[in-house]
Amino acid sequence: MVSSQEEPAAARGTSEAQPPGPAPLGAAPLPGLGPSDGSEAVAAEKVEVELVGPASAEPPEPPEGGWGWLVMLAAMWCNGSVFGIQNACGVLFVSMLKTFGSKDDDKMVFKTAWVSSLSMGMIFFCCPIVSVFTDMFGCRKTAVVGAAIGFAGLMSSSFVSSIEPLYLTYGIIFACGCSFAYQPSLVILGHYFKKRLGLVNGIVTAGSSIFTILLPFLLRVLTDSVGLFHTLRALCIFMFVLFLAGFTYRPLASSTKDKDGPKGGNRASLFSRRKFSPPKKIFNFAIFKVTAYAVWAVGIPLALFGYFVPYVHLMKHVNERFQDEKNKEVVLTCIGITSGVGRLFFGRIADYVPGVKKVYLQVLSFFFIGLMSMMIPLCRIFGALIAVCLIMGLFDGCFISIMAPIAFELVGAHDVSQAIGFLLGFMSIPMTVGPPIAGLLRDKLGSYDVAFYLAGIPPLIGGVVLCLIPWIHSKKQREISKTTGEEKMEKMLENQNSLLSSSSGIFKKESDSVI
């Protein structure tokens, strides 16, 4: 899943991080599909340009190209690698069951589901924390260190002998590394692009869709031919390339002439010293005083308790229900394709939907996602299941593409960065808990039918909660308008009284002068 991005403050601000402005509403959303799309709201996290010149230097002007195109490709690879692997977790899930499964362990599906769901949850859970590190140390250092941690976690996962160590190596270490590498890849785009930021965001977030389409087939071939452990080692290549890609996030020199700054400043090394101002508010909890945002921050996580279940368990369900079918991975491919289409299509539609009424598009997406989840166990024909996955992917893209614009409408440009960061952190809880519960139901009942039926209920409930937001927001706006109107009237009366008093004083002086 990928998100529309607000224009980072670094593209316009000073050496101190400034809140970003609204995202181009037509831009693509958080990367990957479903949960992964994430992600691209994370791009709106508080940013600080790594100024190499003096502290008083003016902020750099985005070059709108040049080295920025290479940065764009690096960010595209990051989005694809991180969320392509996460969204293809269904293939790895099946391989883990074969590798670690035991006839004596009747809770194996439940235990294995924790690996993928913990990994996805940790990526979002770390988002508020990563924003602070990005503010303090810059995009390049954060991304490079994150990719190195992800590489170490993935490599160590290939040497385990049971499922439990994967909770640490794959579910926490690898996922935390991905989170630290992912967010700077979105933030850096605002350093190099301003006018073309929407186009660049669309290209970057398309990386997750492309990888999500291709990786299931690659992982299926690898797991069948060389096994789970060698497959994980092969995936380390993606993380190593991501490590190298992080070095392209070169800090921009300030707009001050080179002679006024350090020599060769625009080619500062990775660990060069730079002056930065820490954020005045690391965590701004005041945004929860905005009632509409508070409801949104509750409704979205509530809807996501069943959201990630198909991504983890769909392949296992297909293997049980359609044993004779070949190329079963096509179901994940269908979700990836239509998710990319949905981001572009509904992102453009959101441009024409006024204000907070964009929330109704998310309500629509949750309605269809919940309905399609319930229809998965009803599909007795493989073609029908493909149709369900196509629709699910389309509305997954709808949900992701309008997260950032809605956040801007609810809290304004000043607080939109932290608003998205908090929301992604809250999303990590249901996305982590949902799949293991579905796996437990599968272990107890012998099939996924009940699990998919129940997975469709939270999106419907969350959609109902979101319906309250436009009403709450409009009511608050009316109260603000009324208060503002009264204040203007009082100020006008005060000005009139002051003017009358001044006129009286002048008239009295003139009268005394005449006398």
Side-chain angles (χ1 to χ4, degrees), residues 276-299:
F276 64 87
S277 300
K280 293 181 179 180
K281 288 186 178 180
I282 294 180
F283 296 112
N284 181 18
F285 294 103
I287 59 177
F288 291 99
K289 294 180 180 180
V290 180
T291 308
Y293 172 77
V295 174
W296 193 54
V298 170

Side-chain angles (χ1 to χ4, degrees), residues 433-474:
V433 173
I437 293 177
L440 183 62
L441 291 173
R442 159 64 181 79
D443 289 333
K444 296 293 184 182
L445 303 176
S447 72
Y448 279 109
D449 291 0
V450 174
F452 282 120
Y453 288 140
L454 295 178
I457 296 177
L460 299 179
I461 297 176
V464 173
V465 173
L466 295 185
C467 287
L468 300 174
I469 294 177
W471 176 76
I472 294 174
H473 184 75
S474 60

Side-chain angles (χ1 to χ4, degrees), residues 366-376 388 392 456 459-460:
F366 281 138
F367 173 79
F368 276 97
I369 288 173
L371 186 62
M372 292 302 105
S373 295
M374 293 180 173
M375 291 187 65
I376 289 176
V388 167
M392 181 179 293
L460 299 179

Side-chain angles (χ1 to χ4, degrees), residues 353-411:
V353 179
V356 183
K357 291 185 178 179
K358 295 180 180 66
V359 169
Y360 290 129
L361 289 177
Q362 282 193 327
V363 173
L364 182 67
S365 67
F366 281 138
F367 173 79
F368 276 97
I369 288 173
L371 186 62
M372 292 302 105
S373 295
M374 293 180 173
M375 291 187 65
I376 289 176
L378 299 177
C379 296
R380 305 295 175 180
I381 303 175
F382 192 64
L385 181 61
I386 291 178
V388 167
C389 291
L390 289 172
I391 298 174
M392 181 179 293
L394 182 68
F395 286 97
D396 163 74
C398 173
F399 159 64
I400 294 303
S401 65
I402 55 178
M403 284 186 63
I406 290 175
F408 174 76
E409 295 290 348
L410 293 177
V411 301

Side-chain angles (χ1 to χ4, degrees), residues 502-513:
S502 300
S503 301
S504 303
I506 294 173
F507 179 75
K508 185 177 181 180
K509 289 181 180 179
E510 292 179 349
S511 299
D512 294 340
S513 175

Side-chain angles (χ1 to χ4, degrees), residues 75 77 82 92 100 105 162 251 264 328 340 389 399 423 466 511:
W77 179 271
V82 171
L92 295 177
F100 303 110
D105 193 348
S162 62
K328 301 181 181 68
C389 291
F399 159 64
L423 180 65
L466 295 185
S511 299

Side-chain angles (χ1 to χ4, degrees), residues 10-11 15 47-53 58-63 65-68 70-71 134-144 184 187-193 244-256 258 262-276:
S15 60
V47 186
E48 177 181 46
V49 177
E50 300 173 320
L51 296 180
V52 196
E58 295 180 1
E61 184 69 20
W67 183 263
L70 184 60
V71 172
T134 303
D135 285 345
M136 295 177 63
F137 301 108
C139 295
R140 182 156 61 173
K141 294 179 183 178
T142 305
V144 169
V187 167
I188 193 66
L189 297 177
H191 296 188
Y192 284 89
F193 298 94
L244 298 178
F247 285 93
T248 66
Y249 302 164
R250 189 174 68 190
L252 291 177
S254 66
S255 57
T256 305
D258 292 341
K263 185 177 181 180
N266 60 341
R267 297 183 180 274
S269 63
L270 172 65
F271 298 104
S272 61
R273 295 181 179 180
R274 71 182 182 89
K275 297 181 179 180
F276 64 87

